[in-house]
Amino acid sequence: MTHATTPAEDLILGLTRVVDLPGITAATGLPISPDDITAIIREAERYARELLWPNAQAADRHGAIYEDGVVRVPPSYHAAYKGWIEGGWQGLAAPSEVNGIPVGGQELPQALWMAVSELVTSGDMAFSLCPLLTGGAIEALARFASPAQQEAWLPRLVSGEWTGTMCLTEPQAGSDLSQVRTKAEPDGMGGYTITGQKIYITFGDHDLTPNTLHLILARLPDAPPGTKGISLFAAPKVLPDGRANALRCGGIERKLGIHAAPTCVMLFEGAEAQLVGEPNRGLNAMFAMMNAARLGVGVEGVAQGARALALAEAYAADRIQGGGPISRHPDVARMLAEMRAITLAGRLLALEAGAALDRARLSGASEARVALLTPIVKSWCTDRGVDVASLGIQVHGGMGFVEDTGAAQVLRDARIAPIYEGTNGIQAIDLVTRKLFRDGGAEMAAVIAEIRAADPRLAEAATALERATAWMLDRGQRDPSAAQASAAAYLDAAGWTMGGWMLARAARADDRYAPLCAFYLARLLPRAAARLAEIEAADSLLALLPAA
C-alpha cells in the first residue's frame, strides 16, 4: 500500500490544504499560518506519544477505583494531566477574555482543537473524556454565565486547575430530558440548593484536580412541566470558603470499556449552586455544550479507528505466516486498506465540520453547514470507529481477541461513542426532521453540488443522495414515521458519500492520497447505494412496529 502518512501528517494536510484553516483565519485579520498549525499538531503528537500511548493499556487494567467514598484514577493519569496543564492544552480554543474579563484562553480555531483532540483521544480515550467535558463547560459558561460567574470559574477551567462535568441523565431520564426530577430550591440568599441523583457522569469525581464544577439540569419549584421547565445550575465540589459542598459520588459504574474514566452516580444532597442563564432555559445552555461535545464524540470515533489501525499495521508487519508478513496477504491488505481509508475519511470530515464552525464564529457565516454536518460526523464517524476497531481485531486473529495486544480494548472503548451525547439513532432523526426540513434541503443541496464537482467518480453517488433527499423531504414531511424509519440509512449513506468527497479533496491537494482515494471510491463508496436502497423501503419497517 503506497499510502504511508501518519495521523499528524493527515491532520496537517487537512487543516492547511483541504479545509484551508489559514484562509479562514486570514479573512478575520487573525491569521494562523501553516507553520503554526504544523508546530501545534507536532507538539500534540509528542504529548500523546510520550504521556498517553505507553500507559493506556495499564490504565485500562488498573481502572478507576471507588473506595470509602473516594474516586482515584490510574497513577499514570497524574503525570498526563500535569502535562496537559503545563502545555496549556485546555485553553487552546477557549476565549482569551469574556465580557472584558481575562480568562486565559488562546482563542485558536475549533478545527485545530478537534485535530489535537484526535491525537489525545487515540493516545487514551478514557483520559481524553475529562478535558472534552471541561471544554464543553467552558463553552456553556462563556455564552450563558453572568460576568461574576465567568470571572470566578472560567480562568480555573481554562487553565485546567478545575475540571467540568455535564450532569443531565437520571435513572428515569435518559434521552427524554423532560423527565428530569432533580430539584433546585431558592436558598433566600440569591443562590439555590440542589437535591437529586444523576447517573453516568463522566469524571464526576476524581483525584486529578482539587475542584470540579458540575453543570446540572434541575427544576425550580414553579417550573412548568416538560423540557420548558428545566434550568441550568453550577455547583462546585469545594465551595469558595473551602467547605465541601453537599454533593458526592455514590459509586462508579462497571462498564464494557473506558475503564480508567470514572463514570459516577452523583448525589446532590442540598448542594449549594448558582443559576446559570435564565430560569427554565437550561436546555438552551446545555445544548450549546452538547453540540460541541457531539463533534468531539465524532472525533472519538476517528481516534479509535486511528488507534486500531496503528496496532493492526504494526502487528501485520511483524506477524510472519506463509513465509512472509501477513500484511502482504491480499485479504489482510484489504482490511488494512479499509481501516486506513475509512479513518482518513472520518478525520477529514470532522475537520470540515470544525472549519464550518470556525467560519460561522470567526466571520459570521451561516451556521447551516455545521448544523447539517454535526449529526453526520457524530454518527457516521463513531459507527465507523466501531467497525474499524472490529477489523483491527480481525487483522490480529486470535491475538486480537485476547487483551494482551490492546486491540480488544480499542473495540471496548469505541463502543460507547455511538451512544454518547444523543444516540446515533437520535442524531439521524435530528438530521432528517430538523436539519433537512428547516431550510427545505438547501444546505444539503449545496453540499451535494460540491461533492459532484469534486471528482467525476462521485457523480453517481451525488445524484443518488440527491434523489434520497428529495424523497425524504416529500415523504418525510407527509409521514414523519417514514422519515424516522429511514433516517439511519439516509445518514449512513450521506456519511459514505461525504467521506468520498473528503478523500477526493485530499487527493487533489496531495497525490500521495490518490491511491487510497481510488480504493475508497471503488470499494467503499458503493456502500452508500446499498444504504440508500433501504430508504424507500420504510413501509416494510413500519409494518413491524407494535401497535400503540
Side-chain angles (χ1 to χ4, degrees):
M1 176 61 77
T2 57
H3 179 77
T5 57
T6 66
E9 290 173 320
D10 296 342
L11 289 165
I12 291 166
L13 176 97
L15 290 167
T16 60
R17 299 176 62 188
V18 177
V19 305
D20 190 20
L21 192 59
I24 293 170
T25 57
T28 69
L30 297 169
I32 177 169
S33 71
D35 288 345
D36 293 333
I37 291 170
T38 300
I40 291 168
I41 295 299
R42 291 297 186 196
E43 184 60 22
E45 179 187 39
R46 184 198 64 77
Y47 165 78
R49 280 288 171 186
E50 292 182 3
L51 291 175
L52 298 177
W53 273 86
N55 303 309
Q57 272 188 271
D60 176 71
R61 289 171 181 152
H62 183 283
I65 293 173
Y66 174 80
E67 191 173 50
D68 298 327
V70 176
V71 178
R72 299 192 307 276
V73 297
S76 64
Y77 278 16
H78 292 275
Y81 195 76
K82 183 173 182 285
W84 178 259
I85 292 177
E86 290 176 349
W89 293 111
Q90 191 67 63
L92 187 79
S96 59
E97 65 173 50
V98 179
N99 291 322
I101 302 162
V103 299
Q106 300 170 56
E107 218 155 327
L108 290 171
Q110 186 70 23
L112 188 55
W113 165 258
M114 292 169 67
V116 168
S117 294
E118 186 203 315
L119 294 169
V120 172
T121 305
S122 65
D124 188 333
M125 178 168 166
F127 175 86
S128 75
L129 299 175
C130 184
L132 171 71
L133 291 166
T134 300
I138 290 167
E139 177 153 359
L141 294 171
R143 291 181 60 180
F144 295 100
S146 70
Q149 292 169 340
Q150 291 165 343
E151 186 173 17
W153 300 329
L154 280 176
R156 292 176 172 86
L157 292 168
V158 169
S159 70
E161 178 188 350
W162 292 6
T163 59
T165 71
M166 296 169 60
C167 297
L168 287 71
T169 306
E170 299 178 8
Q172 78 293 338
S175 299
D176 183 4
L177 291 174
S178 68
Q179 302 299 314
V180 163
R181 295 175 186 165
T182 298
K183 297 178 181 179
E185 300 277 351
D187 64 7
M189 297 179 289
Y192 298 84
T193 57
I194 305 294
T195 304
Q197 175 182 330
K198 298 290 184 178
I199 62 173
Y200 304 150
I201 308 307
T202 304
F203 279 90
D205 197 15
H206 57 82
D207 58 347
L208 289 176
T209 60
N211 209 352
T212 295
L213 188 68
H214 300 282
L215 296 187
I216 310 155
L217 292 183
R219 291 187 182 280
L220 291 164
D222 59 350
T227 57
K228 294 183 179 179
I230 296 174
S231 301
L232 180 65
F233 299 85
K237 176 181 176 179
V238 179
L239 294 164
D241 61 7
R243 290 180 296 123
N245 207 346
L247 58 89
R248 61 188 174 90
C249 174
I252 60 176
E253 305 291 351
R254 297 175 62 193
K255 312 184 296 291
L256 173 69
I258 54 169
H259 293 155
T263 303
C264 301
V265 175
M266 295 302 300
L267 305 175
F268 297 90
E269 301 167 323
E272 297 179 32
Q274 294 184 34
L275 177 69
V276 177
E278 300 176 21
N280 303 322
R281 300 277 292 172
L283 278 187
N284 287 4
M286 191 58 80
F287 276 120
M289 190 175 182
M290 288 181 70
N291 282 332
R294 283 170 178 162
L295 288 177
V297 172
V299 171
E300 289 173 7
V302 175
Q304 292 315 286
R307 186 176 181 89
L309 174 61
L311 294 173
E313 285 181 323
Y315 182 83
D318 292 341
R319 177 67 168 168
I320 305 300
Q321 295 285 282
I326 63 170
S327 58
R328 295 179 185 170
H329 296 193
D331 191 58
V332 174
R334 171 194 62 80
M335 290 189 284
L336 292 173
E338 287 188 14
M339 294 171 75
R340 290 188 192 105
I342 291 169
T343 300
L344 180 58
R347 174 177 292 131
L348 296 175
L349 186 59
L351 294 183
E352 175 72 9
L357 182 56
D358 287 326
R359 283 192 294 270
R361 290 180 173 177
L362 299 176
S363 59
S366 168
E367 293 188 354
R369 178 64 57 94
V370 70
L372 179 73
L373 293 180
T374 294
I376 298 171
V377 167
K378 193 278 172 181
S379 298
W380 191 78
C381 292
T382 57
D383 280 341
R384 300 293 77 76
V386 172
D387 291 346
V388 171
S390 183
L391 277 174
I393 289 177
Q394 194 71 19
V395 169
H396 283 79
M399 290 301 295
F401 195 69
V402 298
E403 292 288 350
D404 294 354
T405 61
Q409 179 190 344
V410 182
L411 181 58
R412 290 189 286 101
D413 288 353
R415 190 58 189 86
I416 187 59
I419 299 169
Y420 267 159
E421 307 304 339
T423 66
N424 285 359
I426 290 173
Q427 300 303 312
I429 292 168
D430 174 63
L431 173 65
V432 302
T433 62
R434 293 180 183 161
K435 305 302 168 55
L436 277 185
F437 290 172
R438 74 180 188 178
D439 65 358
E443 192 61 35
M444 181 60 88
V447 171
I448 290 171
E450 292 177 33
I451 293 170
R452 185 177 282 113
D455 190 304
R457 293 170 292 181
L458 285 163
E460 184 177 344
T463 299
L465 184 58
E466 194 171 53
R467 286 198 305 268
T469 302
W471 183 94
M472 194 66 71
L473 289 168
D474 175 41
R475 176 72 186 276
Q477 293 198 62
R478 290 186 287 108
D479 184 356
S481 293
Q484 293 191 27
S486 298
Y490 178 82
L491 184 149
D492 208 34
W496 285 112
T497 305
M498 291 179 186
W501 171 46
M502 298 310 303
L503 284 175
R505 291 164 63 184
R508 192 167 65 236
D510 186 331
D511 59 12
R512 290 181 300 167
Y513 293 85
L516 198 61
C517 174
F519 173 85
Y520 184 101
L521 296 181
R523 298 288 296 256
L524 301 177
L525 182 60
R527 297 181 185 184
R531 294 297 271 156
L532 289 173
E534 298 177 35
I535 291 176
E536 295 185 16
D539 290 338
S540 65
L541 173 59
L542 295 177
L544 298 176
L545 292 179

